[in-house]
Amino acid sequence: MDDSTAVTRVDVAIVGAGPIGLCFANALSRHGVSSMLIDRQPRSAMVDPDSDGREIALTRASQQILDKLDVWSRVEPAERARMRGAKVFDGQSLFAMQIAPDAAKDEPLGCLVPNQVIRRAAYAALQTTTSQTTTSQTTTPGQGEILWRDEQEIVRFQASDTAVDIVLDSGEPVRASLLVAADSRFSTTRRAMGIPVHSYQHGQHMLVCRMHHDQPHDQTAWEWFGHGQTLALLPVDTHCSSVVLTLSPAEMEKQLALSVEAFDADITRRFDARLGPMHRVAEPHRYPLVSVYAERFVGPRQALIGDAAVGMHPVTAHGFNLGLQGLSRLADLIGDARAQGQDIASPWLLRRYQREQRLATAPLFAATLAIVGLYTDDRAPARLLRKAVLRAGEAAWPVKRLIAGHLMRSSD
Ligand SMILES: Cc1cc2nc3c(=O)[nH]c(=O)nc-3n(C[C@H](O)[C@H](O)[C@H](O)COP(=O)(O)OP(=O)(O)OC[C@H]3O[C@@H](n4cnc5c(N)ncnc54)[C@H](O)[C@@H]3O)c2cc1C
């Protein structure tokens, strides 16, 4: 890059201002590390994001990270749904494996918050971090300052031993110590970095939709593995839940073509009317199910965070939780390096981030794939195995405690 042009210099360039990119810039700012957030969307879409139908089950550790970033206090109590327990059903059987927290502690199993509320709060929290965020063409941000480049993408970049030189599609040249991809599981930045992924096309689509029902749900989530379909119910308000339905693409087309009345009757039937008649209160959203796990999380002056590193199947509700752990791990390593006057993107630092984040994510990724495989297979041996697992789970199976333990775990 020609040093005579007006080069913008930042510590970290982050591609993707989704919930993970926003929280990462926030965490860096608290360590006095400057960053640039680059997103193809306009800022207006981040100030007040539209609903995408996702209800995010947050672990206690995630709530603590969001609290440190001043995001949690921006989620109104009315927007947090406490989940007191979970039931796992198989087929038409009324038998359910029950997952509950320690009754003596009177603590919820987890907390559900709509994704657009998290994104709105994560964006709002940036406005009050130690320094102002700016869209102006500032070329020398102060300590911890966050520069915005919305409606922008990266055209090309090149890493050297000392920096990574980036060109945005506006033509602006940027020099950073580290380039971070947080641009979703379909990350084009990851591809440009030359990092391959293990990709799993599950061949199914997931529909999410808030529905009202006559019977209360007792703040209990349901996971229901029927034949040819997987259903879940996430408790939102006493008589309102987010319904999650997994079907083949062809079945999903038919489902979405139904009139509102026919849709309501169909979902009521799928749930065996166990909660009485159900009526949809929001537009349904559809997601093709693809899981990805990057072969590497780092490269020379490059790193992946959030779904760009690990795009989980939503069935175990871990994607954002793992992403939060990863961004705070990387921000802390960068903060320590900065405090000691060291390179914030040294190979040693990046390798350490990769090692720790892979250890934290690989077992859950593999377990989630195994669960998806077991519960979406309708052949007789799989059905028998499911029944055995659920019965064993109700009696003693340690996995039950593992699931509850993961949701309840705090970060200390
Ligand atoms: C139905 C569903 C339910 C879920 N439930 C849970 C749950 O209960 N618990 C949980 O922990 N997780 C859950 N997840 C996962 C969670 O939603 C994701 O892990 C999380 O949104 C990932 O955030 P992210 O910022 O990494 O990516 P994203 O939210 O995908 O954001 C990516 C950002 O990058 C921008 N971008 C993309 N490409 C470019 C580009 N080339 N240049 C510039 N910008 C770009 C986009 O505009 C966007 O702003 C669920 C997911 C789904 C689909």
Side-chain angles (χ1 to χ4, degrees):
M1 191 174 289
D2 177 1
D3 275 348
S4 61
T5 53
V7 179
T8 305
R9 290 164 195 273
V10 285
D11 292 320
V12 183
I14 306 165
V15 187
I20 293 296
L22 291 169
C23 289
F24 185 53
N26 182 331
L28 290 175
S29 177
R30 287 163 198 277
H31 286 294
V33 175
S34 66
S35 63
M36 173 183 279
L37 274 166
I38 304 154
D39 201 290
R40 52 160 71 131
Q41 293 188 77
R43 284 279 280 285
S44 54
M46 296 168 206
V47 180
D48 193 11
D50 291 336
S51 167
D52 57 16
R54 302 182 204 186
E55 307 287 337
I56 305 292
L58 292 168
T59 63
R60 202 152 337 127
S62 293
Q63 292 166 40
Q64 288 169 349
I65 294 171
L66 293 174
D67 198 31
K68 272 197 216 155
L69 300 177
D70 198 22
V71 174
W72 192 234
S73 60
R74 292 163 198 280
V75 176
E76 299 291 333
E79 294 169 320
R80 309 172 189 173
R82 283 159 64 95
M83 203 166 56
R84 298 203 56 79
K87 287 182 185 174
V88 186
F89 298 94
D90 184 43
Q92 293 310 107
S93 167
L94 287 174
F95 177 82
M97 179 173 88
Q98 314 256 359
I99 300 171
D102 184 348
K105 291 191 181 153
D106 189 35
E107 280 169 348
L109 191 59
C111 189
L112 286 162
V113 179
N115 195 37
Q116 84 271 13
V117 169
I118 296 175
R119 290 173 58 206
R120 188 197 66 212
Y123 178 83
L126 287 191
Q127 309 310 306
T128 54
T129 49
T130 46
S131 43
Q132 289 295 308
T133 60
T134 175
T135 39
S136 71
Q137 298 298 306
T138 311
T139 52
T140 50
Q143 267 199 359
E145 192 174 349
I146 299 163
L147 304 185
W148 271 97
R149 296 294 183 263
D150 60 337
E151 298 185 80
Q152 288 293 314
E153 294 191 28
I154 283 187
V155 177
R156 60 180 180 276
F157 67 88
Q158 177 143 30
S160 68
D161 285 349
T162 52
V164 53
D165 287 315
I166 300 160
V167 179
L168 305 186
D169 55 10
S170 62
E172 181 183 0
V174 179
R175 178 164 291 172
S177 296
L178 177 66
L179 171 63
V180 173
D183 53 346
S184 86
R185 66 189 62 203
F186 306 108
S187 172
T188 51
T189 311
R190 180 184 63 212
R191 199 176 319 132
M193 290 171 171
I195 300 181
V197 287
H198 300 285
S199 175
Y200 304 85
Q201 307 279 342
H202 298 291
Q204 289 185 310
H205 286 191
M206 180 174 270
L207 174 144
V208 286
C209 180
R210 276 195 177 196
M211 300 202 63
H212 179 275
H213 40 78
D214 285 3
Q215 304 296 322
H217 48 47
D218 200 23
Q219 291 171 287
T220 304
W222 293 10
E223 193 90 49
W224 194 342
F225 302 101
H227 306 319
Q229 63 171 17
T230 304
L231 285 169
L233 193 104
L234 304 171
V236 176
D237 212 349
T238 313
H239 292 277
C240 181
S241 298
S242 172
V243 163
V244 184
L245 172 63
T246 306
L247 292 173
S248 70
E251 289 293 317
M252 190 61 81
E253 282 303 325
K254 287 190 209 153
Q255 188 71 26
L256 289 170
L258 294 175
S259 67
V260 175
E261 295 72 27
F263 182 95
D264 290 351
D266 181 78
I267 297 289
T268 305
R269 176 190 61 78
R270 288 181 188 275
F271 276 95
D272 242 0
R274 291 186 191 193
L275 290 174
M278 301 175 83
H279 305 284
R280 103 184 183 198
V281 292
E283 281 303 306
H285 293 262
R286 179 217 320 222
Y287 292 92
L289 291 172
V290 180
S291 309
V292 298
Y293 199 90
E295 280 188 17
R296 292 182 280 115
F297 291 178
V298 299
R301 298 200 168 271
Q302 298 155 33
L304 309 179
I305 58 173
D307 276 16
V310 183
M312 298 278 289
H313 189 295
V315 72
T316 49
H318 288 319
F320 182 60
N321 291 303
L322 294 176
L324 273 179
Q325 277 178 31
L327 74 86
S328 57
R329 178 169 282 130
L330 183 57
D332 285 350
L333 287 169
I334 290 173
D336 288 350
R338 169 56 51 88
Q340 291 164 29
Q342 294 167 352
D343 182 359
I344 62 164
S346 67
W348 175 86
L349 182 154
L350 294 176
R351 273 201 305 273
R352 179 164 169 194
Y353 159 69
Q354 168 167 270
R355 190 173 60 246
E356 292 179 1
Q357 190 60 6
R358 289 180 91 82
L359 265 177
T361 54
L364 274 169
F365 189 83
T368 301
L369 284 185
I371 289 172
V372 171
L374 178 63
Y375 286 104
T376 52
D377 187 344
D378 274 335
R379 287 169 300 177
R383 291 217 300 265
L384 281 175
L385 184 58
R386 279 206 297 261
K387 283 202 185 346
V389 164
L390 288 188
R391 299 257 165 202
E394 184 47 29
W397 206 37
V399 165
K400 198 167 89 168
R401 268 180 291 141
L402 204 143
I403 298 170
H406 177 80
L407 284 167
M408 303 281 294
R409 198 179 59 211
S410 59
S411 56
D412 40 53

mmCIF file of all heavy atoms in Angstrom, residues 369-394:
data_model
loop_
_atom_site.group_PDB
_atom_site.id
_atom_site.type_symbol
_atom_site.label_atom_id
_atom_site.label_comp_id
_atom_site.label_asym_id
_atom_site.label_seq_id
_atom_site.Cartn_x
_atom_site.Cartn_y
_atom_site.Cartn_z
ATOM 1 N N LEU A 369 -24.107 -32.527 16.424
ATOM 2 C CA LEU A 369 -24.287 -33.297 15.179
ATOM 3 C C LEU A 369 -24.832 -34.693 15.488
ATOM 4 O O LEU A 369 -25.696 -35.201 14.774
ATOM 5 C CB LEU A 369 -22.960 -33.440 14.435
ATOM 6 C CG LEU A 369 -22.438 -32.228 13.674
ATOM 7 C CD1 LEU A 369 -21.174 -32.608 12.908
ATOM 8 C CD2 LEU A 369 -23.479 -31.667 12.712
ATOM 9 N N ALA A 370 -24.345 -35.293 16.581
ATOM 10 C CA ALA A 370 -24.804 -36.640 16.942
ATOM 11 C C ALA A 370 -26.290 -36.601 17.308
ATOM 12 O O ALA A 370 -27.068 -37.472 16.897
ATOM 13 C CB ALA A 370 -23.972 -37.186 18.103
ATOM 14 N N ILE A 371 -26.678 -35.578 18.066
ATOM 15 C CA ILE A 371 -28.098 -35.454 18.461
ATOM 16 C C ILE A 371 -28.963 -35.252 17.213
ATOM 17 O O ILE A 371 -30.002 -35.890 17.054
ATOM 18 C CB ILE A 371 -28.277 -34.274 19.455
ATOM 19 C CG1 ILE A 371 -27.669 -34.653 20.807
ATOM 20 C CG2 ILE A 371 -29.750 -33.897 19.616
ATOM 21 C CD1 ILE A 371 -27.613 -33.509 21.798
ATOM 22 N N VAL A 372 -28.511 -34.380 16.318
ATOM 23 C CA VAL A 372 -29.279 -34.130 15.086
ATOM 24 C C VAL A 372 -29.430 -35.443 14.312
ATOM 25 O O VAL A 372 -30.519 -35.784 13.844
ATOM 26 C CB VAL A 372 -28.582 -33.059 14.211
ATOM 27 C CG1 VAL A 372 -29.239 -32.960 12.842
ATOM 28 C CG2 VAL A 372 -28.619 -31.701 14.898
ATOM 29 N N GLY A 373 -28.334 -36.201 14.208
ATOM 30 C CA GLY A 373 -28.372 -37.469 13.472
ATOM 31 C C GLY A 373 -29.341 -38.442 14.111
ATOM 32 O O GLY A 373 -30.190 -39.045 13.443
ATOM 33 N N LEU A 374 -29.285 -38.566 15.434
ATOM 34 C CA LEU A 374 -30.125 -39.537 16.134
ATOM 35 C C LEU A 374 -31.613 -39.161 16.035
ATOM 36 O O LEU A 374 -32.465 -40.011 15.817
ATOM 37 C CB LEU A 374 -29.699 -39.607 17.608
ATOM 38 C CG LEU A 374 -30.493 -40.545 18.505
ATOM 39 C CD1 LEU A 374 -30.347 -41.994 18.029
ATOM 40 C CD2 LEU A 374 -30.025 -40.431 19.957
ATOM 41 N N TYR A 375 -31.902 -37.877 16.168
ATOM 42 C CA TYR A 375 -33.302 -37.473 16.285
ATOM 43 C C TYR A 375 -33.970 -37.134 14.964
ATOM 44 O O TYR A 375 -35.158 -36.865 14.924
ATOM 45 C CB TYR A 375 -33.426 -36.319 17.275
ATOM 46 C CG TYR A 375 -33.249 -36.831 18.686
ATOM 47 C CD1 TYR A 375 -32.077 -36.628 19.385
ATOM 48 C CD2 TYR A 375 -34.257 -37.572 19.271
ATOM 49 C CE1 TYR A 375 -31.899 -37.133 20.653
ATOM 50 C CE2 TYR A 375 -34.097 -38.096 20.543
ATOM 51 C CZ TYR A 375 -32.911 -37.868 21.221
ATOM 52 O OH TYR A 375 -32.751 -38.395 22.471
ATOM 53 N N THR A 376 -33.211 -37.126 13.874
ATOM 54 C CA THR A 376 -33.871 -36.871 12.595
ATOM 55 C C THR A 376 -33.912 -38.136 11.743
ATOM 56 O O THR A 376 -34.366 -38.113 10.623
ATOM 57 C CB THR A 376 -33.170 -35.737 11.808
ATOM 58 O OG1 THR A 376 -31.783 -36.039 11.728
ATOM 59 C CG2 THR A 376 -33.354 -34.393 12.493
ATOM 60 N N ASP A 377 -33.467 -39.241 12.340
ATOM 61 C CA ASP A 377 -33.488 -40.513 11.628
ATOM 62 C C ASP A 377 -34.741 -41.272 12.068
ATOM 63 O O ASP A 377 -34.884 -41.609 13.241
ATOM 64 C CB ASP A 377 -32.209 -41.302 12.002
ATOM 65 C CG ASP A 377 -32.069 -42.568 11.176
ATOM 66 O OD1 ASP A 377 -33.069 -42.990 10.569
ATOM 67 O OD2 ASP A 377 -30.956 -43.121 11.161
ATOM 68 N N ASP A 378 -35.657 -41.523 11.105
ATOM 69 C CA ASP A 378 -36.913 -42.174 11.473
ATOM 70 C C ASP A 378 -36.913 -43.682 11.265
ATOM 71 O O ASP A 378 -37.949 -44.332 11.359
ATOM 72 C CB ASP A 378 -38.079 -41.538 10.693
ATOM 73 C CG ASP A 378 -38.590 -40.322 11.436
ATOM 74 O OD1 ASP A 378 -38.412 -40.259 12.663
ATOM 75 O OD2 ASP A 378 -39.149 -39.427 10.779
ATOM 76 N N ARG A 379 -35.716 -44.239 10.957
ATOM 77 C CA ARG A 379 -35.681 -45.684 10.790
ATOM 78 C C ARG A 379 -35.819 -46.370 12.152
ATOM 79 O O ARG A 379 -35.488 -45.780 13.194
ATOM 80 C CB ARG A 379 -34.374 -46.098 10.108
ATOM 81 C CG ARG A 379 -34.383 -45.710 8.621
ATOM 82 C CD ARG A 379 -33.033 -45.864 8.017
ATOM 83 N NE ARG A 379 -32.062 -45.023 8.697
ATOM 84 C CZ ARG A 379 -30.766 -44.996 8.404
ATOM 85 N NH1 ARG A 379 -30.284 -45.763 7.485
ATOM 86 N NH2 ARG A 379 -29.951 -44.197 9.055
ATOM 87 N N ALA A 380 -36.316 -47.604 12.149
ATOM 88 C CA ALA A 380 -36.661 -48.292 13.396
ATOM 89 C C ALA A 380 -35.516 -48.350 14.411
ATOM 90 O O ALA A 380 -35.736 -48.057 15.599
ATOM 91 C CB ALA A 380 -37.169 -49.689 13.077
ATOM 92 N N PRO A 381 -34.265 -48.696 14.021
ATOM 93 C CA PRO A 381 -33.207 -48.779 15.049
ATOM 94 C C PRO A 381 -32.986 -47.438 15.755
ATOM 95 O O PRO A 381 -32.806 -47.397 16.978
ATOM 96 C CB PRO A 381 -31.966 -49.183 14.239
ATOM 97 C CG PRO A 381 -32.470 -49.760 12.967
ATOM 98 C CD PRO A 381 -33.778 -49.107 12.695
ATOM 99 N N ALA A 382 -33.051 -46.352 14.971
ATOM 100 C CA ALA A 382 -32.836 -45.033 15.582
ATOM 101 C C ALA A 382 -33.982 -44.716 16.549
ATOM 102 O O ALA A 382 -33.777 -44.139 17.610
ATOM 103 C CB ALA A 382 -32.723 -43.959 14.503
ATOM 104 N N ARG A 383 -35.213 -45.091 16.148
ATOM 105 C CA ARG A 383 -36.357 -44.805 17.028
ATOM 106 C C ARG A 383 -36.219 -45.547 18.348
ATOM 107 O O ARG A 383 -36.469 -45.011 19.422
ATOM 108 C CB ARG A 383 -37.661 -45.216 16.327
ATOM 109 C CG ARG A 383 -38.005 -44.330 15.141
ATOM 110 C CD ARG A 383 -39.505 -44.113 15.043
ATOM 111 N NE ARG A 383 -40.242 -45.350 14.887
ATOM 112 C CZ ARG A 383 -40.627 -45.849 13.706
ATOM 113 N NH1 ARG A 383 -40.334 -45.208 12.612
ATOM 114 N NH2 ARG A 383 -41.306 -46.960 13.635
ATOM 115 N N LEU A 384 -35.756 -46.813 18.266
ATOM 116 C CA LEU A 384 -35.570 -47.606 19.493
ATOM 117 C C LEU A 384 -34.477 -46.989 20.363
ATOM 118 O O LEU A 384 -34.621 -46.875 21.582
ATOM 119 C CB LEU A 384 -35.187 -49.045 19.126
ATOM 120 C CG LEU A 384 -36.350 -49.921 18.686
ATOM 121 C CD1 LEU A 384 -35.836 -51.269 18.227
ATOM 122 C CD2 LEU A 384 -37.349 -50.096 19.836
ATOM 123 N N LEU A 385 -33.388 -46.584 19.706
ATOM 124 C CA LEU A 385 -32.274 -45.986 20.452
ATOM 125 C C LEU A 385 -32.736 -44.701 21.160
ATOM 126 O O LEU A 385 -32.410 -44.452 22.311
ATOM 127 C CB LEU A 385 -31.102 -45.698 19.507
ATOM 128 C CG LEU A 385 -29.831 -45.163 20.157
ATOM 129 C CD1 LEU A 385 -29.320 -46.132 21.227
ATOM 130 C CD2 LEU A 385 -28.739 -44.946 19.111
ATOM 131 N N ARG A 386 -33.545 -43.895 20.470
ATOM 132 C CA ARG A 386 -34.072 -42.653 21.065
ATOM 133 C C ARG A 386 -34.862 -42.946 22.325
ATOM 134 O O ARG A 386 -34.695 -42.310 23.348
ATOM 135 C CB ARG A 386 -35.017 -41.972 20.069
ATOM 136 C CG ARG A 386 -34.333 -41.175 19.027
ATOM 137 C CD ARG A 386 -35.228 -40.089 18.525
ATOM 138 N NE ARG A 386 -36.444 -40.523 17.876
ATOM 139 C CZ ARG A 386 -36.611 -40.606 16.554
ATOM 140 N NH1 ARG A 386 -35.618 -40.303 15.766
ATOM 141 N NH2 ARG A 386 -37.761 -40.952 16.033
ATOM 142 N N LYS A 387 -35.750 -43.941 22.215
ATOM 143 C CA LYS A 387 -36.570 -44.286 23.379
ATOM 144 C C LYS A 387 -35.676 -44.708 24.541
ATOM 145 O O LYS A 387 -35.865 -44.293 25.680
ATOM 146 C CB LYS A 387 -37.535 -45.422 23.018
ATOM 147 C CG LYS A 387 -38.711 -44.947 22.199
ATOM 148 C CD LYS A 387 -39.867 -45.929 22.325
ATOM 149 C CE LYS A 387 -41.028 -45.562 21.416
ATOM 150 N NZ LYS A 387 -41.059 -44.263 20.823
ATOM 151 N N ALA A 388 -34.674 -45.550 24.214
ATOM 152 C CA ALA A 388 -33.775 -46.041 25.265
ATOM 153 C C ALA A 388 -33.032 -44.875 25.912
ATOM 154 O O ALA A 388 -32.906 -44.794 27.131
ATOM 155 C CB ALA A 388 -32.787 -47.043 24.670
ATOM 156 N N VAL A 389 -32.564 -43.950 25.066
ATOM 157 C CA VAL A 389 -31.804 -42.806 25.582
ATOM 158 C C VAL A 389 -32.674 -41.956 26.501
ATOM 159 O O VAL A 389 -32.271 -41.542 27.585
ATOM 160 C CB VAL A 389 -31.247 -41.970 24.400
ATOM 161 C CG1 VAL A 389 -30.805 -40.596 24.861
ATOM 162 C CG2 VAL A 389 -30.076 -42.689 23.750
ATOM 163 N N LEU A 390 -33.932 -41.709 26.062
ATOM 164 C CA LEU A 390 -34.811 -40.870 26.882
ATOM 165 C C LEU A 390 -35.142 -41.536 28.212
ATOM 166 O O LEU A 390 -35.138 -40.901 29.255
ATOM 167 C CB LEU A 390 -36.109 -40.547 26.133
ATOM 168 C CG LEU A 390 -35.983 -39.565 24.975
ATOM 169 C CD1 LEU A 390 -37.352 -39.177 24.454
ATOM 170 C CD2 LEU A 390 -35.261 -38.306 25.405
ATOM 171 N N ARG A 391 -35.432 -42.839 28.165
ATOM 172 C CA ARG A 391 -35.760 -43.549 29.420
ATOM 173 C C ARG A 391 -34.542 -43.558 30.337
ATOM 174 O O ARG A 391 -34.655 -43.277 31.520
ATOM 175 C CB ARG A 391 -36.190 -45.001 29.137
ATOM 176 C CG ARG A 391 -37.406 -45.094 28.275
ATOM 177 C CD ARG A 391 -38.650 -45.422 29.076
ATOM 178 N NE ARG A 391 -39.826 -45.139 28.264
ATOM 179 C CZ ARG A 391 -41.038 -44.916 28.740
ATOM 180 N NH1 ARG A 391 -41.236 -44.926 30.047
ATOM 181 N NH2 ARG A 391 -42.049 -44.658 27.965
ATOM 182 N N ALA A 392 -33.385 -43.871 29.757
ATOM 183 C CA ALA A 392 -32.173 -43.888 30.576
ATOM 184 C C ALA A 392 -31.910 -42.496 31.124
ATOM 185 O O ALA A 392 -31.529 -42.318 32.275
ATOM 186 C CB ALA A 392 -30.986 -44.359 29.745
ATOM 187 N N GLY A 393 -32.173 -41.503 30.296
ATOM 188 C CA GLY A 393 -31.952 -40.113 30.712
ATOM 189 C C GLY A 393 -32.814 -39.762 31.900
ATOM 190 O O GLY A 393 -32.367 -39.137 32.856
ATOM 191 N N GLU A 394 -34.074 -40.212 31.863
ATOM 192 C CA GLU A 394 -34.976 -39.870 32.968
ATOM 193 C C GLU A 394 -34.492 -40.512 34.259
ATOM 194 O O GLU A 394 -34.593 -39.945 35.326
ATOM 195 C CB GLU A 394 -36.393 -40.326 32.620
ATOM 196 C CG GLU A 394 -37.445 -39.958 33.624
ATOM 197 C CD GLU A 394 -37.353 -38.506 34.059
ATOM 198 O OE1 GLU A 394 -36.912 -37.635 33.300
ATOM 199 O OE2 GLU A 394 -37.710 -38.250 35.218
#
